[in-house]
Amino acid sequence: MTREVGKELESEAGQQQMSGTRQQIDKDVLKGKTGQEQKEAPVTKPVYILAIETSCDETSVAIVENGKIIRSNVISSQIETHQRYGGVVPEVASRKHVESITWMLEEAVEKAGVSLQELSAIAVTEGPGLIGALLVGVVAGKALACALDLPLIGVHHIAGHIYANQLVHELEYPLISLVVSGGHTELILMEGPGQFRIIGRTRDDAAGEAYDKIARAMGLPYPGGPHVDRLAQEAESEIKMPRSWLEADSYDFSFSGLKSAVLNVVNQSKMRGEAVQVAQIAKGFQASVIDVLVEKADRAVREYGAKQLLLAGGVAANKGLRSRLAERCEQLNVPLLVPPLGLCTDNAAMIGAAAFLKWDKQEFDSMELKAEPQLKLEEW
């Protein structure tokens, strides 16, 4: 059979198949609509958003379908690089992003099984974060959007953490989101999709930042949060630590005093030549942090009549916090929504999920988009 004849037969078969399909669609759509004009059912194409996250020390690229389905989510962590310094070095982080962003874009597209021509938009973390790290992602996102002639969507990093929950749960409003990460500790009231009202925030150290600082003082590896959490779970006793409740009606947080109390205990032990009781200190520190977070989240849920409590951010992976919040939400008869561990830390899938809010409203950014290290959530 010649190639031309083969094409004619394929075309004829395709037309017959399309005709049969069209007739079936007409029957399904018009069932029960006698006397009305017959119309074909509209075909809705999936929305594929390629998202880029480079706000700190993880380079990540993902493709998310309709804001809820992860087609790919590749992450390159820099933890081993920064461990030798005991924390993230901004210049080193930026250089690592530059080294990996191109091949990660290629890998995300390949794993998703989606061609570049099928993409609907490009999303990128606009802020907050480290300015040099953010710039790498923003420049890459703008270049790709320009090359493919696609809409560009700048995304707030914390909105991404919150909407990571949308990848595995259905959200119901109003809701309260407790965001706990290395740079943020906030209680956020959301009365509708993309509506953020911060009702409480940290006045000094964020919870995750305090975890890392006291871990470093006790000689634990970076990042310190998982090690403190593990030791707190294993310890049979604790060294009592203070709680900072602030004003009676305040939803704000403060962890600098708690951090200082831990450092004081550590220094006193060293001055006396005694072994630092690392596990007992970790247990006391974590109990203080969790007590304050849980009690303020509880009060916010009750005051604002929230239908759900969302936990978001890197510290959402903390087993002690997840367990205590689950117990309290069961008492309140309010669902606790927590992303799986792989979506708690920085990743691009959460950026793609949040970007769908802007896609839905057709709110796009121009090629003048800039990295904004102090980007405000309520203004996004």
Side-chain angles (χ1 to χ4, degrees), residues 223-354:
H227 297 286
V228 174
D229 183 28
R230 175 181 54 79
L231 290 169
Q233 303 294 322
E234 295 173 355
E236 296 181 358
S237 61
E238 67 179 90
I239 295 177
K240 294 289 184 181
M241 295 292 170
R243 274 76 167 152
S244 180
W245 299 106
L246 303 176
E247 300 82 9
D249 61 345
S250 175
Y251 286 115
D252 284 351
F253 304 95
S254 173
F255 297 107
S256 63
L258 172 61
K259 177 193 67 180
S260 297
V262 170
L263 296 179
N264 187 44
V265 172
V266 172
N267 290 333
Q268 286 184 356
S269 296
K270 291 179 178 179
M271 290 172 62
R272 291 194 295 263
E274 300 171 353
V276 177
Q277 296 177 292
V278 177
Q280 290 80 359
I281 294 174
K283 191 176 185 68
F285 169 83
Q286 177 149 300
S288 175
V289 172
I290 291 176
D291 280 353
V292 174
L293 293 175
V294 170
E295 292 303 326
K296 296 207 172 194
D298 174 310
R299 182 156 54 89
V301 167
R302 288 186 283 109
E303 179 175 344
Y304 291 99
K307 295 181 179 179
Q308 296 173 331
L309 173 64
L310 273 61
L311 181 59
V315 185
N318 184 286
K319 293 180 180 179
L321 178 59
R322 293 162 78 106
S323 176
R324 282 283 301 281
L325 279 176
E327 292 174 3
R328 184 59 59 90
C329 283
E330 187 174 353
Q331 295 171 8
L332 293 171
N333 197 28
V334 171
L336 172 66
L337 274 55
V338 187
L341 296 179
L343 295 177
C344 288
T345 54
D346 293 350
N347 66 91
M350 70 183 195
I351 301 303

Side-chain angles (χ1 to χ4, degrees), residues 26-341:
D26 290 342
K27 290 178 182 178
D28 293 341
V29 173
L30 299 173
K31 193 177 293 182
K33 293 185 179 181
T34 305
Q36 296 183 12
E37 182 180 354
Q38 295 187 1
K39 296 181 180 179
E40 287 188 20
V43 178
T44 304
K45 292 176 60 178
V47 175
Y48 294 120
I49 296 179
L50 184 147
I52 301 170
E53 156 61 26
T54 62
S55 64
C56 191
D57 60 340
E58 272 97 16
T59 312
S60 182
V61 181
I63 293 181
V64 179
E65 179 182 341
N66 297 332
K68 293 184 177 181
I69 302 171
I70 301 174
R71 297 298 296 265
S72 66
N73 187 29
V74 295
I75 304 171
S76 176
S77 175
Q78 301 176 13
I79 287 179
E80 291 185 4
T81 300
H82 296 284
Q83 275 180 337
R84 72 187 71 174
Y85 308 109
V88 177
V89 180
E91 178 62 23
V92 174
S94 302
R95 289 179 181 276
K96 286 294 182 182
H97 289 311
V98 172
E99 291 173 7
S100 58
I101 188 65
T102 302
W103 66 261
M104 293 200 67
L105 284 165
E106 295 174 351
E107 186 174 339
V109 172
E110 181 181 347
K111 287 189 173 182
V114 175
S115 69
L116 294 176
Q117 290 69 34
E118 293 177 279
L119 295 177
S120 307
I122 306 298
V124 61
T125 303
E126 178 185 1
L130 303 174
I131 181 63
L134 288 168
L135 276 170
V136 177
V138 169
V139 170
K142 288 164 68 172
L144 195 57
C146 183
L148 298 175
D149 194 24
L150 291 175
L152 178 67
I153 303 173
V155 178
H156 194 286
H157 182 72
I158 297 303
H161 274 304
I162 292 171
Y163 276 88
N165 281 284
Q166 183 175 265
L167 295 166
V168 288
H169 304 289
E170 288 293 330
L171 305 188
E172 294 184 39
Y173 303 91
L175 60 82
I176 292 291
S177 181
L178 173 61
V179 178
V180 194
S181 68
H184 300 267
T185 304
E186 297 166 337
L187 272 172
I188 300 167
L189 169 65
M190 297 181 62
E191 296 181 311
Q195 299 176 18
F196 306 99
R197 177 185 162 197
I198 299 176
I199 60 175
R201 53 162 52 93
T202 183
R203 296 181 182 179
D204 39 61
D205 291 350
E209 180 184 4
Y211 267 94
D212 285 339
K213 287 181 177 178
I214 69 109
R216 188 182 306 120
M218 294 190 296
L220 299 175
Y222 171 85
H227 297 286
V228 174
D229 183 28
R230 175 181 54 79
L231 290 169
Q233 303 294 322
E234 295 173 355
E236 296 181 358
S237 61
E238 67 179 90
I239 295 177
K240 294 289 184 181
M241 295 292 170
R243 274 76 167 152
S244 180
W245 299 106
L246 303 176
E247 300 82 9
D249 61 345
S250 175
Y251 286 115
D252 284 351
F253 304 95
S254 173
F255 297 107
S256 63
L258 172 61
K259 177 193 67 180
S260 297
V262 170
L263 296 179
N264 187 44
V265 172
V266 172
N267 290 333
Q268 286 184 356
S269 296
K270 291 179 178 179
M271 290 172 62
R272 291 194 295 263
E274 300 171 353
V276 177
Q277 296 177 292
V278 177
Q280 290 80 359
I281 294 174
K283 191 176 185 68
F285 169 83
Q286 177 149 300
S288 175
V289 172
I290 291 176
D291 280 353
V292 174
L293 293 175
V294 170
E295 292 303 326
K296 296 207 172 194
D298 174 310
R299 182 156 54 89
V301 167
R302 288 186 283 109
E303 179 175 344
Y304 291 99
K307 295 181 179 179
Q308 296 173 331
L309 173 64
L310 273 61
L311 181 59
V315 185
N318 184 286
K319 293 180 180 179
L321 178 59
R322 293 162 78 106
S323 176
R324 282 283 301 281
L325 279 176
E327 292 174 3
R328 184 59 59 90
C329 283
E330 187 174 353
Q331 295 171 8
L332 293 171
N333 197 28
V334 171
L336 172 66
L337 274 55
V338 187
L341 296 179

